[in-house]
Amino acid sequence: MVQSASPQVKFLSYAEYYAYDDGSDNLYELEDGELVAMPPESIFNSDVSMRLLFALGKFIPSHLLRYKEISIEVSGRRARVRIPDLIVLGEECRAALETTRRGTITHDMPPPLMVVEVVSAGHENEVRDYRFKRSEYAARGIAEYWIVDPARNQITLLSLVEGFYDQTVYTGDGTIKSMVIPEIEISLSDILG
């Protein structure tokens, strides 16, 4: 009996990822050369993202604040691209993006000041946001990473110190204070309800 060979996985390069179009409106991240479909957000997570967007908009100029439109190249074994829920660009990063046709922060560009991920339900999503993206964003030099976790009713603020993230966890009636943008003071209850 002859066994059939298992199908070979095609690993995409950055160029192939940026050119990929399956005709759908699906968003894909790239993990070590493999496309990973991003599931649609729950209405609750979308509400959390929008409340946070509006709250940050009180402190950050609109041209530096982006919602799910900018991707970031990060390091991995192969090509790896993330699409955060929210991004706060610095002026240098914004200027670099203006010279491109695609909304992607490549390895040769300055990193954004801050990224925010709203954790979707499920163990795989938690691992991706709490472990993998934490190390990827630190290696990319992103000064602040917020993990907004509606299921745990908490926001974890990670501040980059000497190449690693220091962690502050906000729960209850806490007020989130950014180290990167000191003007930011947002009530946790205003974001998570």
Side-chain angles (χ1 to χ4, degrees):
M1 176 177 192
V2 177
Q3 292 184 329
S4 62
S6 59
Q8 291 291 332
V9 174
K10 166 127 174 58
F11 297 109
L12 302 180
S13 68
Y14 287 119
E16 291 168 323
Y17 168 73
Y18 298 136
Y20 182 79
D21 183 1
D22 65 359
S24 73
D25 290 334
N26 295 334
L27 286 177
Y28 295 92
E29 289 187 328
L30 191 63
E31 291 185 5
D32 294 328
E34 293 185 62
L35 289 175
V36 176
M38 296 178 64
E41 290 286 350
S42 71
I43 190 68
F44 183 70
N45 275 19
S46 292
D47 288 346
V48 168
S49 293
M50 293 307 292
R51 285 193 295 264
L52 186 54
L53 176 68
F54 291 133
L56 289 171
K58 295 175 184 174
F59 305 97
I60 299 163
S62 61
H63 72 286
L64 298 177
L65 187 57
R66 291 288 173 256
Y67 175 75
K68 287 196 179 195
E69 355 172 305
I70 304 291
S71 57
I72 303 170
E73 290 181 1
V74 294
S75 296
R77 290 182 310 215
R78 292 187 173 89
R80 193 173 273 246
V81 177
R82 296 296 186 186
I83 306 171
D85 292 308
L86 295 168
I87 297 180
V88 177
L89 305 170
E91 291 289 353
E92 290 179 3
C93 184
R94 169 69 192 218
L97 279 168
E98 289 175 0
T99 66
T100 68
R101 292 183 16 224
R102 172 173 285 285
T104 300
I105 301 168
T106 59
H107 284 291
D108 61 339
M109 295 178 176
L113 297 177
M114 176 193 307
V115 295
V116 177
E117 298 283 2
V118 179
V119 181
S120 297
H123 178 72
E124 185 176 320
N125 294 318
E126 289 178 14
V127 169
R128 184 179 301 119
D129 288 342
Y130 278 99
R131 294 191 58 191
F132 298 128
K133 290 181 182 180
R134 178 181 182 140
S135 63
E136 292 165 2
Y137 292 156
R140 186 65 177 86
I142 299 171
E144 207 163 85
Y145 172 31
W146 293 21
I147 304 171
V148 180
D149 194 331
R152 294 181 184 174
N153 202 34
Q154 71 181 29
I155 295 179
T156 303
L157 191 149
L158 301 161
S159 300
L160 194 63
V161 177
E162 297 179 1
F164 296 94
Y165 281 129
D166 284 349
Q167 174 176 301
T168 304
V169 178
Y170 294 92
T171 59
D173 294 326
T175 298
I176 304 158
K177 297 183 182 195
S178 170
M179 301 299 164
V180 174
I181 305 168
E183 300 82 26
I184 292 178
E185 289 192 21
I186 300 172
S187 168
L188 186 75
S189 59
D190 289 344
I191 304 306
L192 296 176

